[in-house]
Amino acid sequence: MFYQNIISKLQYFLIFTIATFLFSCTKGKGAICNDGWRSHSVGSGTCSWHGGIDHYIDPNEIDIFKTTVLVLVILVGLVLFFLSQNQNKK
């Protein structure tokens, strides 16, 4: 019974986490300044206090760390789901 409560709570947490990461796996728009600062701006004056723009961030580029975390969360969620299904059958 105790484990069922934990698994139930974890499933809600996993659903929330997956929904959050689904909308944030891309790096987004912006620029990297010459001093390493990340700016979310792309207009005139971007990085003006940081030595200018080193390069712009491709808004379609996938953030590898966030994507890896998302995949791991999904896998853990699936394992917990199947464990809870097996416990319900007993």
Side-chain angles (χ1 to χ4, degrees):
M1 187 70 169
F2 176 72
Y3 292 111
Q4 265 183 327
N5 290 336
I6 291 176
I7 289 174
S8 176
K9 290 177 183 178
L10 283 174
Q11 285 174 342
Y12 288 116
F13 171 75
L14 290 173
I15 290 169
F16 174 77
T17 305
I18 289 169
T20 301
F21 275 104
L22 282 176
F23 295 105
S24 62
C25 281
T26 60
K27 288 189 174 181
K29 65 180 183 177
I32 303 297
C33 304
N34 283 326
D35 65 354
W37 184 265
R38 178 186 174 154
S39 173
H40 295 281
S41 174
V42 292
S44 177
T46 301
C47 297
S48 60
W49 290 94
H50 297 277
I53 298 169
D54 182 46
H55 65 276
Y56 283 101
I57 299 169
D58 180 5
N60 297 320
E61 186 178 351
I62 301 296
D63 189 329
I64 299 300
F65 175 75
K66 289 180 183 177
T67 305
T68 304
V69 170
L70 174 62
V71 169
L72 290 175
V73 167
I74 290 172
L75 290 174
V76 168
L78 288 172
V79 168
L80 291 175
F81 174 76
F82 287 119
L83 285 176
S84 69
Q85 295 300 316
N86 287 337
Q87 286 182 352
N88 290 338
K89 290 179 183 178
K90 292 181 180 180

